[in-house]
Amino acid sequence: MVFGRDRVEYKTPDQVRLMRRAGLVVADTLAAVRSAARPGVTTADLDAVAAKAIDDAGAAPSFLGYHGFTGVICTSVNDEVIHGIPGSRVLAAGDLVSIDCGAIVEGWHGDSALSFVLGPDGALDHTLPDDDLVAAGADLADVALVRTTETAMWAGIATLASAKRLNAVGAAVETAVEMAGEFNGIDYGIVEDYVGHGIGSAMHQPPDVHNYKTAGSGPRLRSGMCLAIEPMITRGESETRVLEDDWTVVTVDGSRAAHWEHSTAIMEDGIIVLTAVDGGAERLGVFGVQPVSLD
């Protein structure tokens, strides 16, 4: 592990392998939480599922106790963008749910998030045909938001494979959101108050990873960088506010929001998505990128 003059932590291959282990714990935990989500379940119930999954894997939660946060995961519903605290809220069919999860293995962190629309029998697969989703009671505008946010995240991640400077990620995310908005006939909002980040021996590290175009080119991308790419997109305006619990971030206009995130490592010969089971192979392949192996 080496720190550059910009305080970016550059990981060795062995350290990235430990982060991959943490990332796979996060992936498995998110899958378990998504599977457990259904109408009538509370966000605290989902938190308990996450706690057990992380403990069973021999890992530790990144979020619990972080600046006093009381959950193992963040559970954000409908107009809640991020940092929702698990509790007594009962989920209902039609809710748009975002789950953010972090785990630690031997001092190294993984961090990932996903969003889904809740159907009468559980989380809906947003890759299904629209007719099937409508039959399950989904609002297609919510489904489009989930798809748009996920696609924008992957566009940003894929950019890491060829870009020289970090701000190319934000430009790729914004372009993807704009294109989806034109296709869907929706003027999406890109949240600017919160951004992605470096990750490694701490959950949040330099550099900030913007989800929008910014002036300048940003830090140079180098092997050993590990970055969490996490766009937060709304169906309305981009402005947010924090509730009285000092954690939950909601949209000012009440519009619904989606949040997707993956932790990604830049290696000498390419990139790998540490929190994706397949390393990002399926979704990066759309962009002509093949993730590297850590073997």
Side-chain angles (χ1 to χ4, degrees), residues 174-201:
E174 182 172 338
T175 297
V177 173
E178 289 175 343
M179 291 177 62
E182 291 176 4
F183 180 81
N184 295 325
I186 300 175
D187 189 12
Y188 292 115
I190 301 175
V191 173
E192 297 187 5
D193 296 331
Y194 303 89
V195 297
H197 51 89
I199 184 170
S201 60

Side-chain angles (χ1 to χ4, degrees), residues 4 13 28 43 52 119 132 136 151 204 215 280 292:
D28 289 344
T43 54
K52 184 178 187 304
D132 292 348
T151 298
H204 292 135
V292 300

